[in-house]
Amino acid sequence: MHRHAVHELLERVRRGEISPAAAADELARLPFVAGTDVLVDTHRALRTGEAEAVYCPGKTPEQAAAAFAALAGSGGPVLATRAGAEHVAAITAAVPGTVAHPKARMVVLPGPVAQLGTVAVVGAGTSDLPVAEEAAVTAEVLGAKVERLADVGVAGLHRLLARLEELRRADVVIAVAGMEGALPSVLAGLVAAPVVAVPTSIGYGASFGGLAPLLAMLNACAPGVAVVNIDNGFGAAVVAVRVLRRAAARQAP
Amino acid sequence: MHRHAVHELLERVRRGEISPAAAADELARLPFVAGTDVLVDTHRALRTGEAEAVYCPGKTPEQAAAAFAALAGSGGPVLATRAGAEHVAAITAAVPGTVAHPKARMVVLPGPVAQLGTVAVVGAGTSDLPVAEEAAVTAEVLGAKVERLADVGVAGLHRLLARLEELRRADVVIAVAGMEGALPSVLAGLVAAPVVAVPTSIGYGASFGGLAPLLAMLNACAPGVAVVNIDNGFGAAVVAVRVLRRAAARQAP
Amino acid sequence: MHRHAVHELLERVRRGEISPAAAADELARLPFVAGTDVLVDTHRALRTGEAEAVYCPGKTPEQAAAAFAALAGSGGPVLATRAGAEHVAAITAAVPGTVAHPKARMVVLPGPVAQLGTVAVVGAGTSDLPVAEEAAVTAEVLGAKVERLADVGVAGLHRLLARLEELRRADVVIAVAGMEGALPSVLAGLVAAPVVAVPTSIGYGASFGGLAPLLAMLNACAPGVAVVNIDNGFGAAVVAVRVLRRAAARQAP
Amino acid sequence: MHRHAVHELLERVRRGEISPAAAADELARLPFVAGTDVLVDTHRALRTGEAEAVYCPGKTPEQAAAAFAALAGSGGPVLATRAGAEHVAAITAAVPGTVAHPKARMVVLPGPVAQLGTVAVVGAGTSDLPVAEEAAVTAEVLGAKVERLADVGVAGLHRLLARLEELRRADVVIAVAGMEGALPSVLAGLVAAPVVAVPTSIGYGASFGGLAPLLAMLNACAPGVAVVNIDNGFGAAVVAVRVLRRAAARQAP
Amino acid sequence: MHRHAVHELLERVRRGEISPAAAADELARLPFVAGTDVLVDTHRALRTGEAEAVYCPGKTPEQAAAAFAALAGSGGPVLATRAGAEHVAAITAAVPGTVAHPKARMVVLPGPVAQLGTVAVVGAGTSDLPVAEEAAVTAEVLGAKVERLADVGVAGLHRLLARLEELRRADVVIAVAGMEGALPSVLAGLVAAPVVAVPTSIGYGASFGGLAPLLAMLNACAPGVAVVNIDNGFGAAVVAVRVLRRAAARQAP
Amino acid sequence: MHRHAVHELLERVRRGEISPAAAADELARLPFVAGTDVLVDTHRALRTGEAEAVYCPGKTPEQAAAAFAALAGSGGPVLATRAGAEHVAAITAAVPGTVAHPKARMVVLPGPVAQLGTVAVVGAGTSDLPVAEEAAVTAEVLGAKVERLADVGVAGLHRLLARLEELRRADVVIAVAGMEGALPSVLAGLVAAPVVAVPTSIGYGASFGGLAPLLAMLNACAPGVAVVNIDNGFGAAVVAVRVLRRAAARQAP
Amino acid sequence: MHRHAVHELLERVRRGEISPAAAADELARLPFVAGTDVLVDTHRALRTGEAEAVYCPGKTPEQAAAAFAALAGSGGPVLATRAGAEHVAAITAAVPGTVAHPKARMVVLPGPVAQLGTVAVVGAGTSDLPVAEEAAVTAEVLGAKVERLADVGVAGLHRLLARLEELRRADVVIAVAGMEGALPSVLAGLVAAPVVAVPTSIGYGASFGGLAPLLAMLNACAPGVAVVNIDNGFGAAVVAVRVLRRAAARQAP
Amino acid sequence: MHRHAVHELLERVRRGEISPAAAADELARLPFVAGTDVLVDTHRALRTGEAEAVYCPGKTPEQAAAAFAALAGSGGPVLATRAGAEHVAAITAAVPGTVAHPKARMVVLPGPVAQLGTVAVVGAGTSDLPVAEEAAVTAEVLGAKVERLADVGVAGLHRLLARLEELRRADVVIAVAGMEGALPSVLAGLVAAPVVAVPTSIGYGASFGGLAPLLAMLNACAPGVAVVNIDNGFGAAVVAVRVLRRAAARQAP
């Protein structure tokens, strides 16, 4: 519509129905018309790559399904995160072709994406699994190859070291950890890839809902670590995929 | 410049040198050109009313004076806040016509502003004076009439009640208080004007640098209170002046 | 009653039954009698404008309905906020003429109010809707015209910019945002009206129940922002209405 | 028993059955025997005055009733605080002569206490009532006369001022307030008695579970205020009663 | 003045120059005139007992001396707290008859006060001495007898227990402690008097400027403890003196 | 397996099938193979002593039972902590030979352990009992003799002092306390053994979920105290058992 | 050395001087020998790319210069961060070939690095400049091309939008902002590259030393943002360079 | 003295000069006499082992020297911690035989102590050295053998693993770390000894003065870790020595 209005105006300039000066004024009077159009386009392109996501908590199953269905027409992949059993049921019923990932608490409608590099998703403990799976499934849906390394926390260092080769092959490492949140520091000292750290709310007492690993990760003694919000596996995957896409963009002839 | 480029493009459309479709593409390629221009204009107009301000902490006297001088050409009033003695000296030496307000820790270059309504600046204690003065001087420079009511804290309620008439005449009340920050609650129960609350870092121990009055003011039991940052007399005055300007705008024939 | 006692006393002075000195003593002995009366009157007038509100959490449906019914006799509008389904049922049953606003979690008994200017209520995300609606409904009940702009967060800047004209027409802008709470900063740089910021508890992890947007809003880099308590849509509307009333007062001949 | 053991030992010394040196060794070997006895006695005496209390949360009704019954034999009054309906039922069934105080969430077994002076229990809002009642009932059970002043918050100052005479007659004032917690500051500027402040967890958002009024009360600008834990009406009453007892002790011939 | 105006008005009523109704209106129009007078009187009386205090931090020596001198004419005792060497010099030079208390960081101008009961000021460690002395000197200046018990922390329990008799004789106990702040809990289990607890900022690391003992004292497991702000020895003494005055008032025939 | 691969490689060196240089390269290519093996062995040995533990919260009864059963084959003792009734049922059904400890919220499968020294587990209040029992049962399962001292808080000092002999005989003291957390400070001043402090989340208001005793214990004025996480009775017992094992190791001929 | 020892051992196996089994034992006895060597090598290679850094605060000029000189022999670039004037002087004097970057508070010894892609370093305000420069200089020294965009905060949105093209060309965006920290959210909605957010301690009051922008950035409503520690420009640059290196690695034939 | 008084009393009982009942009364009247004596003796013995310490901050050099000199007569070792250059000078001048440890910021007067086992003091970074040295020197002065492992943080894991043998030989491990505080978790997974963790205030931004490593250590995922206050090297050493003494006590025939 906006773009149409600009065309119309330019046509009128061409036909001499309006002077260039008056047309410029009109353009200025409609603030951000052109710019907005550009933004929308770009934004949509960007989003196509990144997939649309529905965050389920606080939504009724019906609301979540409606939001999911609305996004399903965009052509790209669609994700629902933190989906309870009833959200899963409602979305699956409403949108054909979806896949449920119970461990990740997600529902996914796959869509066409570019094939990207590798993300290693490393979890410190079994309790971190849902967050790690949220990261892994998100990254896969967005085109990444994913290596999962579960239960390789720093208290059992040998399990971590035994997987070192795999870790070093990854283009990005997502480190998911609750408790003391030491995993990203250790990883960033072992690999050359960027480490995206996800603190989890796993723990009790002086964990204060994930504050302890969050602060630890922000203070990682090894440079090369950047941190997302507590339990935000989805966000970590989006950062990782953005990294992979830059690499893919450069790789293309 | 941007506006010029748009004119040029439209001229080329008029001259038939470029098709409307191609011109529309070009407009889209230069994101925010038109919009940006509009923004800049609007923004400047807005700023003229609000005065430009130099926040001195962390700046050397020379840096503060240079920033102040750069703004001094804009035609409107210019303010320097949290100015130490050496900042005052440097700015006064660099820009003719400035006025120092030591109690408010400010330097001011007056400029033409509309005559606005009345702000009552109420301070709970003598130690809050610098913050209250920062609010009062800022409001005056921006065109407001200011009533100052110092040392009318809630522990000496009679002093507050004795000034009630003046308080009720004000269009906006700025309440400045450290310690337990109770003043805005009491005021909002006594007057019908909006109360802009400024917590101060006055206090010690469990004041935690102004956290105590900040939380108290956010939890004011009387509706009608909105809060700015700790010690932010300048910000409170800008909010108050924005309120007065709306009233002035409506009042104009 | 109090006023009656004063009259009685003065009559006795007039009839010579008590000396002026003794009467002055008696007046002094009854502290705040006169003053209190004044206060009560003023206060009531003030309240009539502002509507009485029942905050439902922690109250049984019966208690909420009883409180609502008690206020319903005052002649002005009455509001119930944060009303669950059972509160709504109880209040609606108890007081005829009420209107339920489920999206705002409110029940309203309309009353006569002055016609005031315009408040723009801007919500950053769909999850902020209940708080934004609480602000919008409250403002409407108190006499304001309300423009609702939903889902115009800073991550989709074009949606915000596309509504700029409407925003600039408003006398006050209420900005409701959770997550990083950036909306008020962006708005205060775009409009000249005062911006009342409402942080919401929407979010998780390092949002810490709304602490993140609260701190962000208090630190808004654009002056002109004042903040109310987390999720306090009602409070923001009362501040906005106080602003509008000052403008209306000035406008009157 | 301990005291008996000491007597026995001393008897054996008198009878020459044990040398003083050996007896001294034995005394030293039983650390705190004598001292402990003293402590126990004093302590019991002290407790008799203060009543024994059962804090119900986290206890099953059976556990609470058993604890209450165990204390009921001590001769003094016994209190159960934060008692849910099922705690009340269990305790009432288990111990004859108890009285339930639903508004205070308490069950009480009265006992003989000295007649003490007056405590004014002032509540800022209706939501603070359970905490205020906990303070009032505890003080009454322990021998105080109690004046209740409900709903006299600082936003409606006239209601507070209208009760000033009563407030000034009290020997101790207990001020119960949530939200911004301004009540104790205002009270301490109006009366000469010590003010015991009780912050409540009433509120939401930036109240942070009562942190806001707690900090406000600790920073009260008027000296004469001391603070107990959030929602701790029982603790405030015990402090108040200790004050009254000292006065009573001095008053006795 | 105010009182005079009331007299005048009443005279006019008596002389029939103004009707009682009109006079009542006039009284109502001057809000708080009578009430305010009463308040002022009461307040001053109250203050006379409590002494006026100058809090020195943030004041220049000249400002502190000027404030002190202004209060010195009131007839009652005057205190300056947290006075640095230069404050002491300036005040001593400005006001004859003052006494410096370096350990308490105070300057005192003694004044007539009633003879009151006994306060035990108990300090947990040598570093708490300045705060304990501030409490002790303030209490003495206001008429209390003071027993000082220094360095009787809970890690050396025997030192505390050895002074038990003295502690039990006190009418109020002020417990000053940094570190873990355990002293008031222990004391409240040993004595029957009210315990006013003063957390100090002594400590480092996880003391967080006195937060640790503050929280500990608010959570004292023994009832009978009320808490003032961190390092607020002055405030604790005022609470204690208010307690003693009630006892003295009751004792008087 | 790893060890086998190394053997194989070395055999090939011995047989001349691979040069030492190539073998060294291969060793280097398999990072941490040898080292890892060592670690694994050591680690397992270590774990045998310490028992494996299943933390139940966030696990379904089935998951907890499966994890428990998996560990049950290791030969050492196995523990489940924070087990609800349904966890207990599931584990007991799945693994023969387990013992439920309801007060400690634990299920235990005993296993062979060395006989160690004595741990005194001291609880400040009855509400701390579940945490204290978790510590006591864990220590017993791991081979320690345990002395339980319940309800010996600092407000009733005589109960603590009466048990001093027992306390002084212990090799390690575990002090469990909520509220103000003063117990470890008092204990560390009375005994020569290391004191492991466990803050509990018992309390309300300004306890902030156990923050108050946590900070108090970290600031213990008596040296000799080290602290574990809030409510972490299991962790305290493991620290204590590590202390006892060092003593046992030294004691062995 | 370690590698040498392994060679030696293997040679002895080859010569039949030691059996494979004994050699395996010996390998196992020296834990981590081989693995450690690998780690050291990798680590050094990794570090060569990342440059060694000396963090100056808390070091005397001599200590900083000595540390810098020690690293200078490694062949790669060396950085000193947060260097005061005296640190700069000492390092420059001690190591030839260094370059001082006063705005970034850094000293740099350049070294050979691979040519990498582009980092846009965006600063919200002039006060954020030192942190932004630390990021920019670090990235440049490590081989990145750097685009600097200063003073493009969200309150002056037009300045940000006017630079959109440049921003969209960057492979990584580093967003540096204090105050409300809204910049990364806005940027992540405008560009497709990963956004590394650096909160700064610029601000006062409720900024709480950078906590406000830190929390805001962690809660960014636009996915694609990861956060480093407050003021950690160096760390952000290392993350960015790790991203660029992956792209470069993929790009290589 | 006290003991003498008891003897005297018992003698009088033996001589029949006082009845057992009267003597029992007298014993009870002197609370804690016997008990106190015991306490004092024990306490002194305890202290002899642990050394007396003077904490210098907040003390003038003269005060520190006086406190040190007073303790120097006790016969055992004496320590001064956090000693500035001027404290060192004053103490050294005042007490002959002292030794300064500048890296540990300590002054020590050695004294006779039992020969104990081994403490490994592990520091994560060079900046942690002063705290690590405070722990090491304190432990040595109290009789422990100390192994120092500096700069073995988790980002350079190989340095830690290379020292594993030494670590495993230690009877107690003290782990000193700032930043993310991951070291104790890693260590507790590698060794069987108890790990005493010392968070340090090294770091900036989101370290919040050591809060980050403190929380991390309290949440260590490996059991076997207990934590002391931030920067409290002295306290960690005292805990470690208490552990060693228990082992020594058991070892003795």
Side-chain angles (χ1 to χ4, degrees), chain C residues 154-155 157 179-180 182 185-186 189 204 206-207 212 215-216 219-222, chain G residues 154-155 157 179-180 182 185-186 189 204 206-207 212 215-216 219-222:
Chain C
V154 297
L157 214 50
M179 311 291 282
E180 84 283 69
S185 290
V186 171
Y204 59 91
S207 165
L215 293 184
N219 285 281
C221 57
Chain G
V154 298
L157 215 51
M179 312 289 283
E180 85 282 70
S185 290
V186 171
Y204 60 90
S207 165
L215 293 183
N219 285 282
C221 56

CSV table of all heavy atoms in Angstrom, one decimal, chain C residues 154-155 157 179-180 182 185-186 189 204 206-207 212 215-216 219-222, chain G residues 154-155 157 179-180 182 185-186 189 204 206-207 212 215-216 219-222:
chain,number,residue,atom,x,y,z
C,154,VAL,N,10.3,-1.9,20.0
C,154,VAL,CA,11.5,-1.3,19.4
C,154,VAL,C,12.2,-2.3,18.4
C,154,VAL,O,13.0,-1.9,17.6
C,154,VAL,CB,12.5,-0.8,20.4
C,154,VAL,CG1,11.9,0.3,21.2
C,154,VAL,CG2,13.0,-1.9,21.3
C,155,ALA,N,11.9,-3.6,18.6
C,155,ALA,CA,12.5,-4.6,17.7
C,155,ALA,C,11.9,-4.5,16.3
C,155,ALA,O,12.5,-5.0,15.3
C,155,ALA,CB,12.5,-6.0,18.2
C,157,LEU,N,10.8,-1.6,14.6
C,157,LEU,CA,10.8,-0.1,14.7
C,157,LEU,C,9.8,0.5,13.7
C,157,LEU,O,9.2,1.5,13.9
C,157,LEU,CB,12.2,0.4,14.4
C,157,LEU,CG,12.6,1.7,15.1
C,157,LEU,CD1,12.4,1.6,16.6
C,157,LEU,CD2,14.1,1.9,14.9
C,179,MET,N,10.3,-7.0,29.0
C,179,MET,CA,11.6,-7.3,28.4
C,179,MET,C,12.6,-6.2,28.8
C,179,MET,O,12.8,-6.0,29.9
C,179,MET,CB,11.4,-7.4,26.8
C,179,MET,CG,10.3,-8.3,26.4
C,179,MET,SD,10.5,-10.1,26.7
C,179,MET,CE,11.6,-10.5,25.4
C,180,GLU,N,13.2,-5.6,27.7
C,180,GLU,CA,14.3,-4.6,28.0
C,180,GLU,C,13.8,-3.2,28.2
C,180,GLU,O,14.5,-2.3,28.5
C,180,GLU,CB,15.3,-4.6,26.9
C,180,GLU,CG,15.0,-3.8,25.7
C,180,GLU,CD,14.0,-4.4,24.8
C,180,GLU,OE1,12.8,-4.6,25.2
C,180,GLU,OE2,14.4,-4.8,23.7
C,182,ALA,N,12.7,-0.7,26.4
C,182,ALA,CA,13.3,0.4,25.7
C,182,ALA,C,12.3,1.3,25.1
C,182,ALA,O,12.7,2.4,24.6
C,182,ALA,CB,14.2,-0.2,24.5
C,185,SER,N,12.2,5.2,26.1
C,185,SER,CA,13.4,6.0,25.6
C,185,SER,C,13.2,6.4,24.1
C,185,SER,O,13.4,7.6,23.7
C,185,SER,CB,14.7,5.2,25.7
C,185,SER,OG,15.0,5.0,27.0
C,186,VAL,N,12.8,5.4,23.3
C,186,VAL,CA,12.6,5.7,21.9
C,186,VAL,C,11.4,6.7,21.7
C,186,VAL,O,11.6,7.7,21.0
C,186,VAL,CB,12.3,4.4,21.1
C,186,VAL,CG1,11.9,4.7,19.7
C,186,VAL,CG2,13.5,3.5,21.2
C,189,GLY,N,12.2,10.4,22.6
C,189,GLY,CA,13.0,11.1,21.5
C,189,GLY,C,12.1,11.4,20.3
C,189,GLY,O,12.6,12.2,19.5
C,204,TYR,N,11.2,-13.4,31.6
C,204,TYR,CA,11.6,-14.5,32.5
C,204,TYR,C,13.1,-14.3,32.8
C,204,TYR,O,13.7,-13.4,32.3
C,204,TYR,CB,11.3,-15.8,31.8
C,204,TYR,CG,12.0,-16.0,30.5
C,204,TYR,CD1,13.3,-16.6,30.4
C,204,TYR,CD2,11.4,-15.5,29.3
C,204,TYR,CE1,13.9,-16.7,29.2
C,204,TYR,CE2,12.1,-15.7,28.1
C,204,TYR,CZ,13.3,-16.2,28.1
C,204,TYR,OH,14.0,-16.3,26.9
C,206,ALA,N,16.4,-13.2,33.7
C,206,ALA,CA,17.0,-11.9,34.2
C,206,ALA,C,16.1,-10.8,34.1
C,206,ALA,O,16.5,-9.6,34.3
C,206,ALA,CB,18.3,-11.7,33.4
C,207,SER,N,14.8,-11.0,33.8
C,207,SER,CA,13.8,-9.9,34.0
C,207,SER,C,13.6,-9.7,35.4
C,207,SER,O,13.3,-8.6,35.8
C,207,SER,CB,12.5,-10.3,33.3
C,207,SER,OG,11.5,-9.4,33.7
C,212,ALA,N,14.2,-5.6,35.3
C,212,ALA,CA,15.0,-5.1,34.1
C,212,ALA,C,14.3,-3.9,33.4
C,212,ALA,O,15.0,-2.9,33.2
C,212,ALA,CB,15.2,-6.3,33.2
C,215,LEU,N,14.4,-0.7,35.7
C,215,LEU,CA,15.7,0.0,35.8
C,215,LEU,C,15.9,0.7,34.4
C,215,LEU,O,16.4,1.9,34.4
C,215,LEU,CB,16.8,-0.9,36.1
C,215,LEU,CG,16.8,-1.5,37.5
C,215,LEU,CD1,18.0,-2.4,37.7
C,215,LEU,CD2,16.7,-0.4,38.6
C,216,ALA,N,15.6,0.0,33.3
C,216,ALA,CA,15.9,0.6,32.0
C,216,ALA,C,15.1,1.9,31.9
C,216,ALA,O,15.6,3.0,31.4
C,216,ALA,CB,15.5,-0.3,30.9
C,219,ASN,N,16.4,4.8,33.7
C,219,ASN,CA,17.7,5.3,33.1
C,219,ASN,C,17.5,5.8,31.7
C,219,ASN,O,18.5,5.9,30.9
C,219,ASN,CB,18.7,4.2,33.2
C,219,ASN,CG,19.3,4.0,34.6
C,219,ASN,OD1,20.2,4.8,35.0
C,219,ASN,ND2,18.8,3.0,35.3
C,220,ALA,N,16.2,6.0,31.3
C,220,ALA,CA,16.0,6.4,29.9
C,220,ALA,C,16.9,7.5,29.5
C,220,ALA,O,17.0,8.5,30.2
C,220,ALA,CB,14.5,6.8,29.8
C,221,CYS,N,17.6,7.3,28.3
C,221,CYS,CA,18.5,8.3,27.9
C,221,CYS,C,17.8,9.6,27.4
C,221,CYS,O,18.5,10.7,27.3
C,221,CYS,CB,19.5,7.8,26.8
C,221,CYS,SG,18.6,7.1,25.4
C,222,ALA,N,16.6,9.5,27.0
C,222,ALA,CA,15.9,10.7,26.6
C,222,ALA,C,15.1,11.3,27.8
C,222,ALA,O,14.3,10.6,28.4
C,222,ALA,CB,14.9,10.3,25.5
G,154,VAL,N,19.3,5.5,20.9
G,154,VAL,CA,17.9,5.3,20.5
G,154,VAL,C,17.1,6.6,20.7
G,154,VAL,O,16.0,6.7,20.2
G,154,VAL,CB,17.3,4.1,21.2
G,154,VAL,CG1,18.0,2.9,20.9
G,154,VAL,CG2,17.2,4.4,22.7
G,155,ALA,N,17.5,7.5,21.6
G,155,ALA,CA,16.8,8.8,21.7
G,155,ALA,C,16.8,9.7,20.5
G,155,ALA,O,16.0,10.5,20.3
G,155,ALA,CB,17.2,9.5,23.0
G,157,LEU,N,16.9,8.6,17.1
G,157,LEU,CA,16.8,7.4,16.2
G,157,LEU,C,17.2,7.7,14.8
G,157,LEU,O,17.8,6.8,14.1
G,157,LEU,CB,15.3,7.0,16.2
G,157,LEU,CG,15.0,5.5,16.1
G,157,LEU,CD1,15.7,4.7,17.1
G,157,LEU,CD2,13.5,5.3,16.3
G,179,MET,N,23.1,3.8,30.3
G,179,MET,CA,21.8,4.2,30.6
G,179,MET,C,20.8,3.1,30.5
G,179,MET,O,21.0,2.1,31.2
G,179,MET,CB,21.4,5.3,29.5
G,179,MET,CG,22.4,6.4,29.3
G,179,MET,SD,22.5,7.5,30.7
G,179,MET,CE,21.1,8.5,30.5
G,180,GLU,N,19.8,3.1,29.6
G,180,GLU,CA,18.8,2.1,29.6
G,180,GLU,C,19.2,0.9,28.7
G,180,GLU,O,18.4,-0.1,28.6
G,180,GLU,CB,17.4,2.6,29.2
G,180,GLU,CG,17.2,2.7,27.7
G,180,GLU,CD,17.9,3.9,27.1
G,180,GLU,OE1,19.1,3.9,27.0
G,180,GLU,OE2,17.2,4.9,26.7
G,182,ALA,N,19.1,0.2,25.5
G,182,ALA,CA,18.2,-0.2,24.5
G,182,ALA,C,18.8,-0.4,23.1
G,182,ALA,O,18.1,-1.1,22.2
G,182,ALA,CB,17.1,0.9,24.4
G,185,SER,N,18.7,-4.0,21.3
G,185,SER,CA,17.4,-4.5,20.9
G,185,SER,C,17.0,-3.8,19.5
G,185,SER,O,16.5,-4.5,18.6
G,185,SER,CB,16.3,-4.1,21.9
G,185,SER,OG,16.5,-4.8,23.1
G,186,VAL,N,17.2,-2.5,19.4
G,186,VAL,CA,16.9,-1.8,18.2
G,186,VAL,C,17.7,-2.3,17.1
G,186,VAL,O,17.2,-2.6,16.0
G,186,VAL,CB,17.1,-0.3,18.4
G,186,VAL,CG1,16.9,0.4,17.1
G,186,VAL,CG2,16.0,0.2,19.4
G,189,GLY,N,16.9,-5.8,15.6
G,189,GLY,CA,15.7,-5.8,14.8
G,189,GLY,C,16.0,-5.2,13.4
G,189,GLY,O,15.1,-5.3,12.5
G,204,TYR,N,24.1,6.9,36.5
G,204,TYR,CA,24.1,7.1,37.9
G,204,TYR,C,22.8,6.6,38.5
G,204,TYR,O,21.9,6.2,37.8
G,204,TYR,CB,24.3,8.6,38.2
G,204,TYR,CG,23.2,9.5,37.6
G,204,TYR,CD1,22.1,9.8,38.4
G,204,TYR,CD2,23.3,10.0,36.3
G,204,TYR,CE1,21.1,10.6,37.9
G,204,TYR,CE2,22.2,10.7,35.8
G,204,TYR,CZ,21.1,11.0,36.6
G,204,TYR,OH,20.1,11.8,36.1
G,206,ALA,N,19.9,4.8,39.6
G,206,ALA,CA,19.3,3.4,39.4
G,206,ALA,C,20.0,2.7,38.3
G,206,ALA,O,19.5,1.6,37.9
G,206,ALA,CB,17.8,3.5,39.2
G,207,SER,N,21.1,3.2,37.8
G,207,SER,CA,21.9,2.4,36.8
G,207,SER,C,22.7,1.3,37.6
G,207,SER,O,23.0,0.3,37.1
G,207,SER,CB,23.0,3.3,36.1
G,207,SER,OG,24.0,2.5,35.5
G,212,ALA,N,21.5,-1.8,35.1
G,212,ALA,CA,20.3,-1.5,34.3
G,212,ALA,C,20.5,-1.9,32.9
G,212,ALA,O,19.7,-2.7,32.3
G,212,ALA,CB,20.0,0.0,34.5
G,215,LEU,N,20.8,-5.8,32.5
G,215,LEU,CA,19.6,-6.6,32.5
G,215,LEU,C,18.8,-6.3,31.2
G,215,LEU,O,18.2,-7.2,30.7
G,215,LEU,CB,18.8,-6.2,33.7
G,215,LEU,CG,19.4,-6.6,35.1
G,215,LEU,CD1,18.4,-6.2,36.2
G,215,LEU,CD2,19.7,-8.1,35.1
G,216,ALA,N,18.7,-5.0,30.8
G,216,ALA,CA,18.0,-4.7,29.6
G,216,ALA,C,18.5,-5.5,28.4
G,216,ALA,O,17.7,-6.1,27.6
G,216,ALA,CB,18.1,-3.2,29.3
G,219,ASN,N,17.5,-9.1,28.3
G,219,ASN,CA,16.1,-9.2,28.0
G,219,ASN,C,15.7,-8.6,26.7
G,219,ASN,O,14.5,-8.3,26.5
G,219,ASN,CB,15.3,-8.5,29.1
G,219,ASN,CG,15.3,-9.3,30.4
G,219,ASN,OD1,14.5,-10.3,30.5
G,219,ASN,ND2,16.1,-8.9,31.4
G,220,ALA,N,16.7,-8.4,25.8
G,220,ALA,CA,16.4,-7.8,24.5
G,220,ALA,C,15.3,-8.5,23.8
G,220,ALA,O,15.2,-9.8,23.7
G,220,ALA,CB,17.7,-7.9,23.6
G,221,CYS,N,14.3,-7.8,23.4
G,221,CYS,CA,13.1,-8.4,22.8
G,221,CYS,C,13.4,-8.9,21.4
G,221,CYS,O,12.6,-9.8,20.9
G,221,CYS,CB,11.9,-7.4,22.8
G,221,CYS,SG,12.3,-5.9,21.9
G,222,ALA,N,14.4,-8.5,20.8
G,222,ALA,CA,14.8,-9.0,19.5
G,222,ALA,C,15.8,-10.1,19.6
G,222,ALA,O,16.9,-9.9,20.3
G,222,ALA,CB,15.4,-7.9,18.6
